[in-house]
Amino acid sequence: IRGGGMKKFFCCLCLKRRRFMKQKKGFVKWIQSGKVNRRLCMIVFMFAPLALLFTFTYLPFAEMVQFSFYDMKYIGERTFVGLENYVEVFSREDCFNALKLSLYYMGASFVQLALALYFASILSFKIKGAGVFKGFLFFPYLVCGIAVGFIFKFFYTRGFVLDTVLQWCGFELDNLPYWLKDTNINNISLAATSVWRYMGQNMVLFIGAIMSVDSSLYEAAAIDGASGWQKFRYVIFPSIKTIIVLNMILSITGSLSAFEPPYVITKGEFGTGTYFVIMDKLAHASQKVGLASAMAVVLLIIILLVTFIQKAAFKYFFGDGDQEAIRTVRKRKKLAKKELSVNLNREVSRNVSGKA
């Protein structure tokens, strides 16, 4: 009896072992299959960047939104104030005036885009020294923003580089303005530094888009006798609309969050304190963390609204990608309606004259 029991026991163990081995082989085959392998690779490679993105972007942003509802400092007690910080953002003169200063940088961003598109349209084709010019124009973007600030701080200082060059051109020093102190011109001077620094980046993006245009379109335009402006208007511009929209979004959102030029060059003095500079002073100098957080949330909402309006306006006037502009489609529909009404009137008049 004992021997028979042992045999049954060992038989059960063997059966369980075989089942386990079959399940193990099936699991290994399932893991090594193509679909599962691809999905596992995607999950493994996405886990680290998503974890970092959540830890250092979305989690701090959620904390900042929470801070915006409190009257608090970095260290100490918190007092819940609701929407009072948001009301104070729009009631404080310094915050509102700082938003106005963004218009200078926004205007400079359009100048920056126009210059970048002009140079890109020229340097995209085979001309002598194109590589050297591309390097010179792109180099400012590689320079650290703090270094750019110190460069232009000495460039604009009274009696230094800019004043010396203008004196060589025949201007007198007493007739020249204080480029960083005169409130009529200092914000224009600071916005010009952004044009000098970021124009090369926009130019490189435009060059990449222009060089991807099919060369047969240029050949067809040349056969038809198109001028340089006509090639740009009817070949280049419609083909790079997506990159133009991207550059406009980057430039305008950057103009709303300008920080380095006024912070390094003037430290926000003489009416040059942008929205970010005021926010930095409130957060670190005045220790009003809740108010600064509310300012950051308001700025995010403004950037989203401006981006939406910008994309809608561009889609209306110029179209989106391969889609035609909404304005052009509406004009065509109006013309079609007019032609239809004219044809109907003609038919009616013919019928009336035939009956007569």
Side-chain angles (χ1 to χ4, degrees):
I1 296 170
R2 288 182 181 178
M6 292 295 290
K7 283 181 182 180
K8 288 181 181 179
F9 177 72
F10 282 115
C11 287
C12 290
L13 283 178
C14 291
L15 288 171
K16 287 182 179 179
R17 186 181 177 187
R18 285 175 185 174
R19 288 175 186 173
F20 176 75
M21 292 301 292
K22 285 181 180 179
Q23 290 176 356
K24 187 177 180 182
K25 286 179 181 179
F27 179 75
V28 171
K29 285 182 180 179
W30 180 74
I31 285 289
Q32 291 177 349
S33 63
K35 289 184 178 179
V36 177
N37 236 333
R38 285 194 295 270
R39 289 174 182 174
L40 281 175
C41 286
M42 289 172 60
I43 293 169
V44 170
F45 282 105
M46 287 175 63
F47 177 76
L50 287 177
L52 291 172
L53 184 67
F54 175 78
T55 305
F56 296 105
T57 302
Y58 294 115
L59 187 61
F61 175 74
E63 290 290 327
M64 183 190 70
V65 174
Q66 182 184 357
F67 292 162
S68 65
F69 296 103
Y70 288 88
D71 181 11
M72 56 176 289
K73 296 182 179 181
Y74 286 108
I75 299 172
E77 295 181 356
R78 303 179 186 179
T79 304
F80 182 78
V81 293
L83 297 174
E84 287 184 13
N85 287 326
Y86 291 94
V87 174
E88 190 174 353
V89 169
F90 291 99
S91 61
R92 288 176 65 103
E93 289 187 6
D94 53 354
C95 296
F96 190 71
N97 290 331
L99 283 174
K100 287 182 181 178
L101 293 184
S102 299
L103 296 175
Y104 288 99
Y105 295 90
M106 201 174 292
S109 68
F110 287 106
V111 176
Q112 169 187 317
L113 288 173
L115 289 173
L117 190 55
Y118 172 75
F119 285 116
S121 301
I122 295 172
L123 298 175
S124 296
F125 302 97
K126 292 181 181 179
I127 59 172
K128 289 183 179 180
V132 177
F133 282 108
K134 289 177 188 176
F136 279 129
L137 292 173
F138 184 69
F139 175 74
Y141 178 68
L142 302 177
V143 182
C144 173
I146 304 297
V148 171
F150 280 110
I151 289 169
F152 278 94
K153 185 174 184 177
F154 290 104
F155 180 79
Y156 286 127
T157 300
R158 188 69 167 179
F160 276 67
V161 182
L162 182 57
D163 289 344
T164 303
V165 172
L166 292 175
Q167 282 178 313
W168 290 346
C169 296
F171 292 92
E172 294 184 3
L173 183 62
D174 294 335
N175 295 330
L176 295 175
Y178 285 87
W179 304 103
L180 300 178
K181 292 183 179 181
D182 190 350
T183 55
N184 294 320
I185 201 171
N186 55 5
N187 286 298
I188 298 174
S189 302
L190 294 178
T193 64
S194 297
V195 175
W196 180 82
R197 186 185 178 196
Y198 292 106
M199 191 266 291
Q201 179 203 18
N202 297 134
M203 182 196 69
V204 168
L205 292 174
F206 283 138
I207 288 174
I210 292 171
M211 292 182 74
S212 65
V213 178
D214 191 358
S215 59
S216 61
L217 297 175
Y218 297 120
E219 294 172 2
I223 292 170
D224 292 337
S227 63
W229 166 248
Q230 288 172 334
K231 288 179 183 177
F232 173 79
R233 182 179 178 184
Y234 297 107
V235 177
I236 295 175
F237 186 81
S239 302
I240 63 170
K241 286 189 291 187
T242 305
I243 301 300
I244 292 174
V245 172
L246 174 64
N247 271 330
M248 286 181 67
I249 291 171
L250 291 174
S251 300
I252 291 177
T253 53
S255 65
L256 289 169
S257 57
F259 175 71
E260 289 171 346
Y263 184 78
V264 177
I265 299 174
T266 61
K267 295 183 180 179
E269 301 295 333
F270 312 111
T272 60
T274 57
Y275 195 82
F276 253 61
V277 174
I278 300 299
M279 188 165 58
D280 176 74
K281 287 182 177 179
L282 289 173
H284 299 114
S286 303
Q287 291 282 307
K288 294 183 178 181
V289 179
L291 179 59
S293 300
M295 289 181 68
V297 174
V298 169
L299 180 63
L300 175 64
I301 295 170
I302 291 171
I303 288 174
L304 292 175
L305 285 174
V306 170
T307 303
F308 174 77
I309 293 168
Q310 180 182 341
K311 288 192 73 175
F314 200 91
K315 190 175 182 180
Y316 178 79
F317 288 103
F318 303 107
D320 186 14
D322 296 331
Q323 294 179 358
E324 264 191 306
I326 297 173
R327 184 184 181 187
T328 307
V329 174
R330 287 181 179 176
K331 281 185 178 180
R332 191 186 301 134
K333 287 181 179 179
K334 285 182 180 179
L335 289 172
K337 285 181 180 179
K338 284 183 180 179
E339 289 179 0
L340 183 63
S341 62
V342 169
N343 292 330
L344 287 172
N345 289 330
R346 284 178 181 174
E347 288 181 4
V348 169
S349 61
R350 283 176 186 174
N351 291 331
V352 171
S353 61
K355 288 179 180 179

